[in-house]
Amino acid sequence: MRKLWAATVMAAAALMTAPRPAEACGGFFCGRQPVDQTAERILFATNQDGSVTMVTQIQYAGAAPDFAWVIPLAEVPAVDSLAVFPQLALTALDTATGPQFQWPDDPGCYPPVFNAGGGPTAGGVDDGGVTVHLREEVGPYDVAVIESADPAALISWLRDNGFRVNDAMAPYIGIYTSEGMKFLALRLQPDAEVSDIQPFRFTLPSGSPSIPIRLTAIAAEPEMGITVMLLGDRRYGPANWPDVEIDDDQIVWRPDEWPVQTNWTALVARGVDEAGGRGFVTEMSGPTASIAEQVRNTMTSDEAQVAARDALLPLLEGNATITRLYTRLSPEEMTVDPIFRRTDGPEVSNVRVLPRSVEGRDLCGGADAAAASPCDFAACGAGGLCRVVEVAGGAQPVAACACVPGTTARTTFDPSGRPTVTCQDLRMSFLNPGDRALPDAPPLADPCATFDCGPHGECVPMNMTPTCRCSTGYVAVGAIADDGSRETTCVLPDEPVPASFYDGRVPPLPDSLPGGRPVDVPPPAVVAASGGCNAGGHAGGAGGLGAALIGLLAAVRRRRRS
């Protein structure tokens, strides 16, 4: 069966420093925290005629003229299926199907339950070796579906038509053009603003749901969350990736925080790492009837909620089952595009009962909350080791990461929006100082010029974001400065890092995944203790990817502090 492609979008997640504000309450559309606020959301819905409708979330921060978004497709979507989709509908469905964590049935614990948070197509027109299957205005978007056997011609067409495509995309676009794929490209219309960006919906005549994860690797944050919701006549699962199972008895939680904080997302990240960097956890699978009933009977309080209800209800009523899959991946793990298919299996409840204790640690009661370690909630990546670091001034200790040779510590945000550190593969840097984001753009400045990793670390630019390579025995701590810039510092942990840890190395990249840059990586022992680049400085210049690729796209962001 031909594969059906949909996009994930990740760059704006890197900008999040706090949970999203709650929406006005309207029954099903009450603002409830998703389990992973930074995750990218994709919705697939099968139709009776064999077609598949997809809704892909688009997040972006930057200048409106710089926005562009490109998705590989197996077929040309139906023209009358192109539409925007309410963000509120996608967020509400994500929340309704996400994990819910129930307190232990124990008088020593607290009792509440909290939420974890086929129409006609246009004829093709040849345009300089590029077939233009359709060109439409849809909501705030200028939309094109194009095809070419020549990736250079395809990139040239995109640039000539105002889609800002970076050179780093070329080898990845080449992967998909060699497979005969078409490309759906979006940009904002001249009079549209960034605030007009909404999820995008389209329908392909046939195929199996899949995600072009190889192209996503260009712009992904480390340990990026991906939530996939599939509506169909039965349960769905990954066809070519492992099913990863998480034992509820390993869930660590803190009863003194609301909503309850658990290490669920960290457990998923570690489980995927142990599965070789590929895998999905089935967080929920069951009938759509009860969800459709909630949507149908909800008391909508404004036009936005009415639009969300009217967009979501037909998809739920047309399919008997909904399956929710979740993963967390780093760019070097995005080597094989996951494909999803119908599968057998029992229903999976999204309600999980929290354990009273984990590994002998009593988690119930405010005083016993100290039994949970900051490292329980952290995911340092496959090349990382977590250690606890005491913070000056009596603040709570924090998690920090040691990184194996070939990786570097990058401050990012965990699923709750808090700063954290993850070890990232140095080879996956596609934009580096001296490169040009676009052929006519000036050379990129060094983001390490004003960044300080401390006296035991060296600043290394990763996709125009400053990261830190720490000396042997030191670990990286992440923080957000008062001005919103990211800070990473190399410090000594409370518990030493075993010397054997530094014998580890990053695995070779497969031939199917073009690397960003070859990296000659010195062992941490020879990292100069020079205070980074300029002592006392802070992050400046472009952040994220700086002049960045966003989602399955290329977009040059305006310079901002990282």
Side-chain angles (χ1 to χ4, degrees):
M1 180 178 290
R2 300 183 69 187
K3 291 184 285 187
L4 186 68
W5 304 93
T8 61
V9 187
M10 72 292 298
L15 309 181
M16 297 182 62
T17 59
R20 294 189 180 110
E23 304 285 348
C25 190
F28 182 79
F29 299 105
C30 288
R32 293 173 293 175
Q33 285 188 324
V35 66
D36 185 348
Q37 297 180 62
T38 62
E40 307 311 324
R41 296 166 181 85
I42 307 166
L43 173 64
F44 294 95
T46 59
N47 304 311
Q48 291 184 353
D49 61 359
S51 63
V52 178
T53 296
M54 289 159 291
V55 177
T56 62
Q57 177 176 283
I58 301 174
Q59 299 184 76
Y60 175 70
D66 293 335
F67 173 84
W69 194 63
V70 181
I71 316 169
L73 299 176
E75 299 175 283
V76 178
V79 174
D80 60 0
S81 74
L82 305 177
V84 294
F85 191 83
Q87 178 66 57
L88 181 58
L90 194 60
T91 302
L93 186 62
D94 175 37
T95 303
T97 58
Q100 298 181 6
F101 299 101
Q102 181 174 335
W103 252 253
D105 185 13
D106 188 302
C109 290
Y110 301 106
V113 177
F114 296 109
N115 293 318
T121 60
V125 177
D126 185 82
D127 186 1
V130 175
T131 300
V132 182
H133 291 284
L134 63 85
R135 190 80 182 265
E136 296 285 330
E137 293 183 359
V138 180
Y141 300 117
D142 175 5
V143 183
V145 175
I146 60 176
E147 180 180 8
S148 178
D150 181 357
L154 191 140
I155 291 172
S156 178
W157 186 96
L158 287 169
R159 288 173 174 166
D160 291 345
N161 284 270
F163 295 88
R164 308 204 55 183
V165 178
N166 188 282
D167 286 342
M169 281 194 73
Y172 289 84
I173 286 179
I175 292 175
Y176 292 104
T177 55
S178 68
E179 296 172 355
M181 304 298 286
K182 301 158 182 63
F183 291 83
L184 169 66
L186 277 68
R187 69 170 185 170
L188 287 172
Q189 297 186 41
D191 59 347
E193 302 292 337
V194 170
S195 58
D196 297 323
I197 291 175
Q198 302 177 59
F200 193 71
R201 167 182 169 157
F202 56 94
T203 298
L204 295 187
S206 63
S208 298
S210 182
I211 306 172
I213 205 74
R214 292 171 292 177
L215 188 52
T216 307
I218 298 173
E221 286 269 317
E223 297 297 341
M224 186 189 80
I226 301 175
T227 298
V228 183
M229 294 170 282
L230 300 110
L231 291 162
D233 57 358
R234 56 193 287 191
R235 176 174 167 173
Y236 269 77
N240 59 338
W241 284 33
D243 282 301
V244 176
E245 295 186 3
I246 303 298
D247 188 348
D248 287 4
D249 290 340
Q250 297 302 308
I251 300 176
V252 174
W253 53 287
R254 289 189 173 123
D256 56 345
E257 295 192 14
W258 189 92
V260 59
Q261 182 186 4
T262 79
N263 67 335
W264 174 256
T265 57
L267 288 175
V268 172
R270 294 176 204 146
V272 171
D273 287 341
E274 292 170 1
R278 296 201 300 268
F280 279 91
V281 174
T282 302
E283 292 190 315
M284 181 266 186
S285 186
T288 59
S290 61
I291 298 177
E293 187 69 14
Q294 292 179 56
V295 175
R296 191 180 302 111
N297 296 330
T298 194
M299 296 293 292
T300 52
S301 58
D302 58 35
E303 292 182 1
Q305 292 169 1
V306 171
R309 180 198 63 194
D310 293 347
L312 192 56
L313 193 57
L315 299 179
L316 292 168
E317 291 178 333
N319 293 281
T321 302
I322 183 168
T323 303
R324 175 195 174 97
L325 306 174
Y326 178 64
T327 189
R328 288 182 69 188
L329 305 171
S330 290
E332 64 272 15
E333 297 170 330
M334 299 176 179
T335 59
V336 176
D337 295 335
I339 304 169
F340 307 101
R341 66 182 178 189
R342 294 178 179 87
T343 185
D344 295 324
E347 294 183 8
V348 178
S349 172
N350 63 336
V351 177
R352 297 177 179 272
V353 179
L354 298 170
R356 169 72 195 239
S357 62
V358 173
E359 298 176 348
R361 295 178 292 167
D362 187 357
L363 301 175
C364 288
D368 293 325
S373 165
C375 281
D376 288 324
F377 302 88
C380 291
L385 175 68
C386 187
R387 284 291 183 262
V388 175
V389 171
E390 297 293 335
V391 179
Q396 292 291 328
V398 298
C401 296
C403 300
V404 299
T407 65
T408 184
R410 176 171 176 170
T411 295
T412 180
F413 298 93
D414 70 12
S416 65
R418 302 177 185 181
T420 188
V421 166
T422 300
C423 299
Q424 188 168 18
D425 193 323
L426 278 163
R427 296 167 297 182
M428 303 304 291
S429 186
F430 297 93
L431 287 175
N432 302 296
D435 292 348
R436 298 177 187 272
L438 291 171
D440 58 350
L444 296 171
D446 187 354
C448 285
T450 56
F451 193 87
D452 182 21
C453 294
H456 299 283
E458 177 189 31
C459 184
V460 180
M462 273 289 298
N463 288 319
M464 298 309 297
T465 296
T467 68
C468 292
R469 186 162 51 195
C470 297
S471 302
T472 299
Y474 286 79
V475 295
V477 176
I480 303 300
D482 293 339
D483 64 359
S485 61
R486 306 185 196 189
E487 297 179 343
T488 311
T489 308
C490 297
V491 300
L492 275 176
D494 294 353
E495 179 185 354
V497 178
S500 59
F501 169 75
Y502 297 102
D503 295 333
R505 293 293 186 274
V506 293
L509 293 175
D511 294 337
S512 61
L513 183 68
R517 66 176 178 196
V519 178
D520 181 16
V521 184
V526 301
V527 171
S530 60
C533 295
N534 291 339
H538 58 269
L545 281 185
L549 304 171
I550 183 165
L552 308 180
L553 55 86
V556 179
R557 295 183 190 162
R558 64 191 174 202
R559 292 175 63 82
R560 63 177 176 80
R561 304 185 71 86
S562 61

